[in-house]
Amino acid sequence: MKMNIVDISGKKSGSLEASDGVFAVPMNPALVAQAVYVAKANLRQGSAAALTRGETYGSRRKLWKQKGTGNARHGDKFAPQFVGGGVSHGPLTEKNYRKSITLKMKRKAFCCVLSQKVRANNLIIIEDLDKKKKTAEMAKVMAKISGGSKSLFLADEKHIWTLRLLKNLSEVVVERVQNVGILILMAADKIMVTRGGVAELELRLKGVRGNK
């Protein structure tokens, strides 16, 4: 497929032949939902924890004598049924929330989201970034091209320096092409990438069946 390229002023400066197997993949909602579910599950830290009856701190004095009070026999006050007592079967930090899908499914879901951005005209290929060397200058370029939308800039190997220039801009998220995940991709209103970034995306996603 043919994709347009714009310069730092936002004007069309050329075109690029891109892979249909990466940028023109039909949407598969079920696959994308599964990939998102797995990605979110793998972000869980499992930090919730509760004390068991044996881990609570305090006096172990018997609440009342064994017989003669009319109450049921009982030991200390840290049983689960008492306020301040231990928790039965509570959350533990050892729980593993990690999920997984195959690499082919992961790549395919990524291509589905990427292609959807292309169909919505929300993926922009930009060139001539080397002409701007300051954060303030890059901020103006990004604002002009994205139209003020929340944008994601994918830095290829040649444009690693943009990570330093753009990292302090709240309206722009900067990620390396090789590291970006599906959650960040979906959250962006606009995606900006260089010609080299397109080539790196194709190389990263070449394992998808049907890629050319």
Side-chain angles (χ1 to χ4, degrees):
M1 64 176 300
K2 185 168 289 188
M3 300 174 66
N4 293 330
I5 302 175
V6 300
D7 56 22
I8 54 178
S9 64
K11 297 180 180 179
K12 180 181 176 181
S13 60
S15 60
L16 174 69
E17 193 66 35
S19 170
D20 289 346
V22 175
F23 298 99
V25 178
M27 175 55 74
N28 186 333
L31 178 60
V32 172
Q34 186 175 0
V36 169
Y37 170 75
V38 170
K40 286 184 175 181
N42 292 340
L43 290 176
R44 288 190 68 173
Q45 296 182 348
S47 56
L51 298 179
T52 64
R53 180 174 181 174
E55 294 170 334
T56 52
Y57 177 79
S59 173
R60 298 297 169 177
R61 181 181 64 84
K62 188 174 174 66
L63 286 174
W64 47 75
K65 63 181 183 179
Q66 184 79 348
K67 296 180 181 295
T69 64
N71 295 317
R73 64 190 76 180
H74 216 286
D76 60 52
K77 63 181 179 180
F78 296 109
Q81 65 265 36
F82 293 124
V83 175
V87 177
S88 294
H89 314 294
L92 301 175
T93 55
E94 291 84 3
K95 185 171 181 179
N96 185 359
Y97 294 98
R98 290 195 64 81
K99 307 289 183 184
S100 64
I101 56 175
T102 66
L103 181 58
K104 184 177 291 186
M105 294 171 67
K106 186 176 180 179
R107 287 172 172 170
K108 190 74 172 183
F110 193 96
C111 286
C112 288
V113 175
L114 198 60
S115 300
Q116 188 66 24
K117 296 291 185 181
V118 173
R119 286 190 287 270
N121 294 320
N122 288 330
L123 189 142
I124 303 166
I125 304 176
I126 184 172
E127 63 180 2
D128 296 335
L129 286 177
D130 296 333
K131 296 180 179 179
K132 303 296 183 181
K133 297 296 184 181
K134 295 184 178 180
T135 299
E137 295 175 342
M138 288 291 289
K140 292 179 181 179
V141 172
M142 295 294 149
K144 180 181 296 185
I145 295 176
S146 67
S149 302
K150 183 178 179 181
S151 56
L152 167 67
F153 181 79
L154 299 180
D156 61 281
E157 289 294 333
K158 184 180 177 181
H159 293 84
I160 291 298
W161 53 271
T162 57
L163 296 171
R164 176 174 53 84
L165 290 184
L166 299 175
K167 67 180 181 180
N168 291 327
L169 301 180
S170 59
E171 66 276 11
V172 181
V173 176
V174 189
E175 285 286 341
R176 295 187 61 173
V177 171
Q178 299 300 327
N179 298 338
V180 64
I182 192 170
L183 296 180
I184 297 177
L185 199 69
M186 294 184 68
D189 295 327
K190 298 280 186 180
I191 299 174
M192 289 176 279
V193 63
T194 62
R195 187 191 297 264
V198 171
E200 285 191 20
L201 280 171
E202 292 176 347
L203 187 62
R204 173 184 171 182
L205 301 167
K206 66 180 180 180
V208 178
R209 180 178 298 177
N211 277 12
K212 298 179 181 178

